[in-house]
């Protein structure tokens, strides 16, 4: 068997993240004070990301709103920073709704999505936020709760799924969320029944796919449903196309291709393994043939985030004869989007302390970290990236390779089963920084297994005088910062 050279996956890093990870003294002192793991959040970055999405909509002449899918990160700093922008928020639980209300989002900037409890619906109705309903049953429940409490009429969006259209062969994958497009009649019946309680604002979809044709078809399905609603006497104005715009984690296409090729060759036994015990991530060797499908996130995604939105909007609407953006514009609809992962691009870093480095075999090491696979769930989410070494000391280091393991007494507690090649091998006391991990990796799965602490969260900002930080729950946008001149003050100042 031929032994090949390293197979790196170098993370794409913004200037802010690059600068932060080079601040080894600052990061080390934060981990000394607050423990490992530690989540670092960059509220400045999320502002930039909102602007990018807004600009993309404006380029297409569209009016609409960016709703941050809160589920992707629990940080208060991010939600409070967003409250200070034009962004809105999509909440998917009672606690997220409370968080949004308490962070400065007025109800007219909040939308609820996902499956909901009656209590969540009650608070949503009581506070007057928009409800994006998932099923006909939920729509009925919203009408009933509103009736029972004699509440003002509420704006509802109806999430659709299972899109079909004649003449196309694009399949729409089955989803357990949303009302099937062939069941929309039942929606109109409920809207008729509760006409004093429910106002139809529009239709929505959210698809967990990167395929533009599949999304274009769902988009088109919503536009058709809008027409149908108008024909039935409603006045819908919003098409909500959900999230799923994606992130480009690995900048170098060559590295990504080399990784997928090396993985296939390793599974077939044609090269040395690049994963622990030849984990195939969905690929397998059946009698010398490669079978299965790679179950990893396509970490090199140059068309992602706002660029993906742009590409979707520029796609022809299957049933209309214009682009999707033009179809929205011509009908004077508003466009809502719900990005989570992509709005968090470059907004956070998870840091963990190296506890031990010991041989795994002749050539490879285990690098044991003071965090576990739930604190940085890159394996669970199938996104592979090399960590950045934040060394505890300067000096000669030898190169090396190994696997990152966690602080739980579980065989399965691998931070990554993918082999990592280090130019400079970590040592106990060093830190490893997992960059671009704000979206889902840092706290979606974190728990207290073995009574291990979950990460504290620190919000960092950089200005002319350098970096400053606050604990996440102590972070608020600067109350005295003026992004635009205040008219009453400037007239007084002028007099
Ligand atoms: C309804 C809804 N909207 C938005 C999102 C955010 O998706 P993403 O983080 O891929 O942008 C999700 C994610 O699960 C979702 O369920």
């Amino acid at each position: 068997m031929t032994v090949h050279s390293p197979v790196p996956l170098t993370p794409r890093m913004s200037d802010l993240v690059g600068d932060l990870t080079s601040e080894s003294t600052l990061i080390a002192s934060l981990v000394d004070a607050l423990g490992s793991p530690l989540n670092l959040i960059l509220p400045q970055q999320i502002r930039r990301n909102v602007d990018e999405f807004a600009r993309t909509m404006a380029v297409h002449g569209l009016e609409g709103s960016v709703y941050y899918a809160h589920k992707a990160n629990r940080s208060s700093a991010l939600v409070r920073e967003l409250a200070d922008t034009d962004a809105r928020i999509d909440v998917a639980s009672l606690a997220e709704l409370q968080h949004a209300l308490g962070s400065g989002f007025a109800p007219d900037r909040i939308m609820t999505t996902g499956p909901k409890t009656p209590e969540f619906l009650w608070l949503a109705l009581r506070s007057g936020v928009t409800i994006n309903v998932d099923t006909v049953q939920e729509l009925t429940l919203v009408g009933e709760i509103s009736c029972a409490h004699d509440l003002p009429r509420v704006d509802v969006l109806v999430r659709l799924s299972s899109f079909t259209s004649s003449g196309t062969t694009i399949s729409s994958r089955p989803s357990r969320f949303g009302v099937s497009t062939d069941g929309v009649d039942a929606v109109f019946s409920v809207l008729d029944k509760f006409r004093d309680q429910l106002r139809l604002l529009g239709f929505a979809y959210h698809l967990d796919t990167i395929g533009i044709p599949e999304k274009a078809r769902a988009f088109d399905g919503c536009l058709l449903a809008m027409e149908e609603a108008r024909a039935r006497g409603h006045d819908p104005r919003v098409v909500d196309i959900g999230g799923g715009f994606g992130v480009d984690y690995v900048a170098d296409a060559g590295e990504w291709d080399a990784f997928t090729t090396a993985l296939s060759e390793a599974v077939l036994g044609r090269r040395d393994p690049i994963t622990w015990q030849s984990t195939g991530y969905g690929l397998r060797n059946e009698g010398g043939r490669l079978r299965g499908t790679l179950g990893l996130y396509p970490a090199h995604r140059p068309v992602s985030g706002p660029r993906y939105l742009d590409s979707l909007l520029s796609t022809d609407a299957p049933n209309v004869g214009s682009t999707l953006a033009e179809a929205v514009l011509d009908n004077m609809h508003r466009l809502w989007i719900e990005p989570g992962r992509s709005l968090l691009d470059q907004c956070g870093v998870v840091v963990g302390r190296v506890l031990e480095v010991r041989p795994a075999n002749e050539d490879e090491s285990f690098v044991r970290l003071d965090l576990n696979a739930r604190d940085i769930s890159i394996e669970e989410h199938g996104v592979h990236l090399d960590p950045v070494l934040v060394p505890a000391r300067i000096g000669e280091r030898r190169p090396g390779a190994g696997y990152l393991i966690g602080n739980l007494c579980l065989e399965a507690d691998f931070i990554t089963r993918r082999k990592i090649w280090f130019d400079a091998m970590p040592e106990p006391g060093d830190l490893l920084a997992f960059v671009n991990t704000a979206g889902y990796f840092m706290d979606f799965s974190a728990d207290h297994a073995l009574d291990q602490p979950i990460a504290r969260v620190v919000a960092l900002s950089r200005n002319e005088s350098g970096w400053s930080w606050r604990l996440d729950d102590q972070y608020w946008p600067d109350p005295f910062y003026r992004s635009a001149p205040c008219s009453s003050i400037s007239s007084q100042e002028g007099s």
Side-chain angles (χ1 to χ4, degrees), residues 69 71-72 90 113-114 159 206 208 242-246 338-342 440:
K71 58 177 74 72
D90 147 19
T113 61
R159 179 169 170 181
H206 167 77
D208 196 11
F245 303 100
E338 305 163 10
R341 185 193 293 270
S342 52
Y440 298 108

Side-chain angles (χ1 to χ4, degrees), residues 40-316:
L40 310 179
I41 288 289
L42 297 168
Q44 280 167 315
Q45 182 64 45
I46 205 161
R47 274 187 181 265
R48 297 182 193 172
N49 296 353
V50 170
D51 288 348
E52 283 294 309
F53 272 110
R55 242 194 308 277
T56 305
M57 285 199 206
V59 163
H60 289 272
L62 296 175
E63 300 213 347
S65 297
V66 178
Y67 280 80
Y68 165 55
H70 187 357
K71 58 177 74 72
N73 195 293
R74 298 184 209 173
S75 156
S76 292
L78 291 173
V79 174
R80 293 171 188 171
E81 188 73 18
L82 282 172
D84 201 41
T85 70
D86 289 335
R88 300 182 174 194
I89 192 162
D90 147 19
V91 295
S93 70
L94 178 63
E96 284 188 2
L97 174 56
Q98 291 172 295
H99 193 204
L101 288 167
S103 300
F105 279 96
D108 62 357
R109 295 171 64 204
I110 303 178
M111 165 171 59
T112 64
T113 61
K116 305 166 193 73
T117 62
E119 294 75 17
F120 180 21
L121 284 176
W122 176 85
L123 184 61
L125 280 159
R126 201 69 253 186
S127 45
V129 311
T130 299
I131 304 183
N132 188 332
V133 297
D134 207 31
T135 61
V136 175
Q137 290 72 11
E138 190 180 296
L139 187 64
T140 310
L141 193 57
V142 173
E144 286 170 353
I145 296 174
S146 176
C147 240
H149 295 265
D150 197 17
L151 292 168
R153 218 169 163 213
V154 64
D155 283 333
V156 292
L157 283 159
V158 177
R159 179 169 170 181
L160 299 177
S161 66
S162 311
F163 298 91
T164 51
S165 60
S166 55
T168 64
T169 51
I170 304 148
S171 60
S172 176
R173 74 196 62 203
S175 168
R176 66 188 183 93
F177 300 106
V179 177
S180 170
T181 44
D182 56 20
V184 176
D185 276 352
V187 167
F188 290 118
S189 304
V190 178
L191 290 171
D192 286 345
K193 181 172 173 197
F194 292 103
R195 72 177 62 83
D196 294 337
Q197 286 75 35
L198 310 176
R199 178 174 32 237
L200 179 68
L201 194 60
F203 289 94
Y205 73 80
H206 167 77
L207 291 182
D208 196 11
T209 171
I210 64 169
I212 294 245
E214 200 178 333
K215 287 207 172 158
R217 192 153 77 137
F219 201 141
D220 196 51
C222 287
L223 292 171
L224 290 174
M226 301 282 277
E227 266 179 44
E228 168 80 15
R230 277 191 176 159
R232 292 179 183 242
H234 297 276
D235 182 25
R237 285 166 288 130
V238 171
V239 183
D240 175 354
I241 62 170
F245 303 100
V247 164
D248 187 18
Y249 291 102
V250 172
D252 188 331
E255 280 192 0
W256 178 250
D257 290 345
F259 164 69
T260 50
T261 305
L263 184 63
S264 307
E265 285 175 355
V267 167
L268 290 172
R270 294 185 190 150
R271 65 156 290 157
D272 55 313
I274 62 162
T275 53
W276 176 244
Q277 291 182 336
S278 297
T279 301
Y281 294 118
L283 301 178
R284 56 184 194 282
N285 180 349
E286 271 181 24
R289 283 171 188 270
L290 194 65
R291 295 278 189 242
T293 20
L294 184 62
L296 296 179
Y297 188 89
H300 174 65
R301 267 188 84 173
V303 182
S304 58
R307 291 185 66 189
Y308 183 94
L309 175 63
D310 177 49
S311 175
L312 179 63
L313 291 173
S314 309
T315 301
D316 285 336

